[in-house]
Amino acid sequence: MKALRAVFAATTALCAATAANATDLEVTHWWTSGGEAAAVAEFAKAFDATGNKWVDGAIAGSGGTARPIMISRITGGDPMGATQFNHGRQAEELVEAGLMRDLTDIAEEGNWKEVIHPSSLLDSCTLDGRIYCVPVNIHSQQWLWLNNKVFEDNGLAVPTNWDEYAAAAPKLQEAGIVPLAMGQQPWQTTLAFQVLLTALAGPEAYTKIFGEKDAELAGSEEMAKVFQAAATARDMSKDSNVQGWNDATTMVITGKAAGQIMGDWAQGEFQVANQVAGEDYTCLPGLGVNEVIMTGGDAFYFPKVDDPAITEAQGELAKVMLSPEAQVAFNLKKGSLPVRGDVDLAAANDCMKKGLDILAKGNVIQSPDQLMSADSLTQVNDLFVEFFNNPSMTAEDAQSMFASIVGNAD
């Protein structure tokens, strides 16, 4: 009995100590769709298992809506414990202002340089040789998602590339189906253009324009075909009257639309709807023309705070997010690829396997956030919002304005 009481006392003391050391950590992000919520819950579960508590700070809308709120809180002296950004240059000024925590020691302890692949992901978290963020996934926007049944029901073969897809549009429109679902959030039109550029002009042209700021190439005859394709996409999406990207994905899932140009995060919505890759829907990387993976994605930064308990909890979360178990659980539900090259993804579906194969071949390009400043990308966004919403703007006019933006970009 004494021994039993001793064990009980020790257990009680351990629980008390754990409770005393438990820390609430507010984590802000913009993952609010069904698939995104299921994925982020995996991070929260893994963090809570450390004895701390994930306090969810989801901000409805897109990154464009959430980022100004996050930045305002950090610069205004009301920082959260951790916050999502896309890895790249979005948080550059916050890091330079000394507002973000240096994670170099944690990265060295966890051998991040050895396990994170490709290395450009960690490079995007690095400034002056110091590491300031945790890349958690590889998201590529270079995908076309198609509802197989829509094509089959209308006597059409499921397209294998952009040209076949565009050729099917008139018959789909006659049947009352929106050929191309597209939401009205500003970044969606830019995403569609960037995917068309990479697929039709090629990865090298994309990198020269966004990375090397090659205005001559941006205004060239070679690029004219991309702007003509963008005009075709504008016509294909003219009856798509939804706002959110996930609402557009739902149009494809329910058969109201035939397809969507969207990043691999759309896959999470198909999974939540119990759709099977390769059976219910088809995914075409690089629009079936140039199969590449864009090594963009999401990363978490940790604002500097004066509270030692929060600082400790931040370190725990950084480690958890890169743990093999959390990487697999999160990315399988998010539709993205893991940043660790040493994890088992036997459960990957058909589309994820395509992505992994492309990544293994080294067919990768960097995301726009890694190549061009946020201010310049905003100008690009504004141009394509106007282009997709104003049918009177010609492809030639849009190309001329785009070339000017590229020539003055930083």
Side-chain angles (χ1 to χ4, degrees):
M1 194 71 176
K2 285 183 179 178
L4 200 57
R5 278 199 294 267
V7 169
F8 177 75
T11 304
T12 303
L14 179 61
C15 290
T18 303
N21 293 330
T23 301
D24 288 356
L25 193 73
E26 182 190 9
V27 185
T28 54
H29 59 87
W30 56 81
W31 288 327
T32 55
S33 76
E36 290 173 328
V40 77
E42 295 295 337
F43 274 156
K45 184 167 64 176
F47 181 63
D48 287 353
T50 68
N52 295 293
K53 180 161 181 58
W54 173 293
V55 178
D56 201 70
I59 299 172
S62 64
T65 301
R67 276 190 297 273
I69 298 170
M70 296 164 173
I71 292 169
S72 178
R73 283 191 54 185
I74 294 167
T75 56
D78 180 30
M80 61 295 290
T83 189
Q84 173 192 11
F85 283 106
N86 298 117
H87 42 72
R89 298 178 61 181
Q90 288 178 355
E92 195 171 68
E93 292 182 1
L94 294 172
V95 172
E96 290 173 342
L99 296 172
M100 291 300 191
R101 179 177 171 184
D102 185 337
L103 302 173
T104 307
D105 290 347
I106 294 172
E108 289 175 349
E109 180 187 337
N111 295 315
W112 289 6
K113 286 186 178 180
E114 284 72 38
V115 300
I116 292 176
H117 176 74
S119 59
S120 60
L121 298 173
L122 196 57
D123 291 343
S124 294
C125 287
T126 305
L127 189 68
D128 297 330
R130 309 299 293 179
I131 296 169
Y132 290 92
C133 68
V134 183
V136 296
N137 59 10
I138 302 170
H139 261 319
S140 181
Q141 62 188 38
Q142 308 290 319
W143 296 84
L144 173 61
W145 306 89
L146 303 170
N147 181 317
N148 292 353
K149 190 172 186 296
V150 164
F151 290 95
E152 292 161 359
D153 286 354
N154 285 279
L156 295 163
V158 178
T160 62
N161 57 48
W162 168 258
D163 287 342
E164 293 174 5
Y165 177 48
K171 187 168 184 179
L172 293 168
Q173 286 172 323
E174 287 175 13
I177 294 165
V178 177
L180 176 62
M182 185 177 294
Q184 298 301 307
Q185 293 162 318
W187 59 271
Q188 294 186 56
T189 51
T190 306
L191 180 149
F193 169 76
Q194 289 165 351
V195 174
L196 287 165
L197 166 55
T198 306
L200 303 181
E204 288 186 9
Y206 162 81
T207 301
K208 284 182 179 178
I209 290 171
F210 279 89
E212 299 173 22
K213 320 299 185 291
D214 190 332
E216 184 177 347
L217 176 57
S220 69
E221 189 64 33
E222 178 187 354
M223 277 293 294
K225 64 185 179 185
V226 176
F227 281 86
Q228 289 300 329
T232 298
R234 177 173 63 185
D235 181 68
M236 291 169 67
S237 64
K238 64 184 178 183
D239 295 319
S240 180
N241 56 357
V242 294
Q243 183 71 19
W245 69 267
N246 52 309
D247 297 321
T249 307
T250 298
M251 288 180 66
V252 179
I253 292 170
T254 58
K256 293 178 180 177
Q260 179 187 24
I261 297 173
M262 187 48 60
D264 51 15
W265 49 91
Q267 194 168 187
E269 304 305 300
F270 283 97
Q271 290 186 83
V272 168
N274 296 316
Q275 299 282 292
V276 178
E279 295 181 18
D280 299 310
Y281 65 98
T282 291
C283 52
L284 297 178
L287 305 184
V289 183
N290 268 301
E291 294 191 348
V292 296
I293 287 292
M294 179 176 283
T295 57
D298 302 292
F300 279 83
Y301 288 77
F302 299 84
K304 283 185 179 177
V305 293
D306 291 330
D307 188 332
I310 291 180
T311 299
E312 185 176 347
Q314 287 176 333
E316 287 290 335
L317 180 56
K319 294 173 185 176
V320 161
M321 285 178 159
L322 272 181
S323 68
E325 299 80 12
Q327 276 284 297
V328 170
F330 170 78
N331 284 292
L332 283 176
K333 290 191 175 177
K334 190 70 166 66
S336 48
L337 302 178
V339 299
R340 293 187 69 117
D342 60 349
V343 294
D344 180 14
L345 278 172
N349 69 20
D350 182 64
C351 295
M352 190 176 286
K353 285 175 181 173
K354 286 183 182 179
L356 289 167
D357 183 55
I358 295 167
L359 189 64
K361 292 175 181 174
N363 296 341
V364 299
I365 56 175
Q366 290 181 288
S367 72
D369 295 311
Q370 294 168 294
L371 299 172
M372 194 177 275
S373 72
D375 287 343
S376 296
L377 287 175
T378 296
Q379 294 176 49
V380 175
N381 276 351
D382 291 344
L383 168 61
F384 286 102
V385 167
E386 184 179 358
F387 177 71
F388 272 84
N389 286 282
N390 180 9
S392 66
M393 180 185 282
T394 67
E396 292 78 13
D397 288 343
Q399 183 174 6
S400 176
M401 294 171 69
F402 179 66
S404 177
I405 292 171
V406 170
N408 292 292
D410 55 4

